[in-house]
Amino acid sequence: MSRRVTRRAALAVVAGAMFDAPCGWAESAFAFPLETPDGAAIRNFAISPVLAPADLPGVIVTGAAEGAPVLYEFFDYSCPYCRLASQELDLLLGPESGMRLGLLHHPVLGPRSAEAALFVLAAQKLYGDEAALRLHVRLFEAPGRMGADKARAIAESLSLDPARLTAQAGSGETQAILDAHANRALTLGLRQTPAFVLGNYAFIGWPGSELVQGFVQALKRCGGLACPSTAQ
């Protein structure tokens, strides 16, 4: 992995560390002593299994075959570090990756982020996961300011009916799904993006694809984000 990528990953992790931690949680409560290649500490902690986001509606799951561990990402469409994570995760995922990705909306950066999230949830409801995933990817690829107008224009370029999407995005049903995602993130103590849940653990910030691959392998072998011999 290049020095530039590791530096960007370290900055993404440090940005996450600038926000408040869950109530009563301190640095000494890290579940594993994880660091980026540049030495930035990766905030991580155990979560209650009953709070794992697998039960939530509106989660798009993509990647390897059924049965592989799912990395759940809480993201915001206006978050630059979420954009970086999206780019690297696209390269990481595949039939041989041994992992899946679950996408959850957490629009912490303002109403325009929420507007885009509502359009993706509307696309999922009306057209299914594949169409919603295409819209999700295109939103992260698109430059400029996020919001309903951009989401609507991109959706139309994907041959999705903008009028139907606008109506569905404005429905109470769609808003309730968005609220469920955001509320679960806050219950877990995830107040910033990107934030991730893997197994019974959460970690804050994007540490880079190589480390994430290591977390997945450690989960398979040892049930955590690191095995005893590698948690140093």
Side-chain angles (χ1 to χ4, degrees):
M1 184 163 53
S2 72
R3 178 70 177 178
R4 180 180 179 185
V5 171
T6 59
R7 178 61 177 165
R8 291 171 72 189
L11 287 172
V13 170
V14 170
M18 295 170 63
F19 291 78
D20 292 337
C23 296
W25 184 74
E27 186 171 351
S28 60
F30 281 24
F32 301 94
L34 304 175
E35 294 183 347
T36 69
D38 282 357
I42 301 171
R43 288 175 45 194
N44 66 96
F45 50 92
I47 67 168
S48 170
V50 300
L51 293 178
D55 65 316
L56 292 175
V59 180
I60 301 173
V61 180
T62 184
E66 293 283 350
V70 181
L71 175 70
Y72 292 98
E73 179 190 9
F74 289 91
F75 64 89
D76 182 305
Y77 284 115
S78 299
C79 163
Y81 299 114
C82 300
R83 184 184 299 269
L84 172 63
S86 177
Q87 293 168 351
E88 295 193 15
L89 282 166
D90 282 346
L91 298 175
L92 179 60
L93 291 171
E96 306 303 322
S97 67
M99 63 175 284
R100 310 187 84 197
L101 175 66
L103 298 169
L104 296 107
H105 302 277
H106 191 23
V108 296
L109 297 178
R112 288 181 173 272
S113 299
E115 290 169 4
L118 288 167
F119 265 81
V120 174
L121 288 169
Q124 183 186 31
K125 174 68 175 180
L126 295 175
Y127 298 101
D129 285 2
E130 185 176 341
L133 184 60
R134 292 200 307 272
L135 179 56
H136 165 82
V137 171
R138 287 285 299 276
L139 282 167
F140 271 129
E141 291 176 345
R145 197 175 186 187
M146 196 52 63
D149 290 343
K150 175 172 287 187
R152 187 182 298 108
I154 293 174
E156 188 170 12
S157 75
L158 296 172
S159 300
L160 307 179
D161 186 327
R164 292 185 66 202
L165 283 176
T166 299
Q168 183 63 41
S171 70
E173 175 189 27
T174 305
Q175 183 65 55
I177 295 173
L178 179 59
D179 291 344
H181 288 199
N183 289 337
R184 181 64 58 88
L186 295 175
T187 300
L188 288 166
L190 306 177
R191 299 182 178 90
Q192 65 285 332
T193 57
F196 300 87
V197 171
L198 182 63
N200 294 329
Y201 299 92
F203 62 94
I204 311 297
W206 176 244
S209 57
E210 289 187 13
L211 282 175
V212 169
Q213 282 181 307
F215 298 165
V216 172
Q217 293 307 312
L219 184 72
K220 291 178 178 179
R221 295 195 305 268
C222 313
L225 300 182
C227 294
S229 60
T230 60
Q232 51 183 318

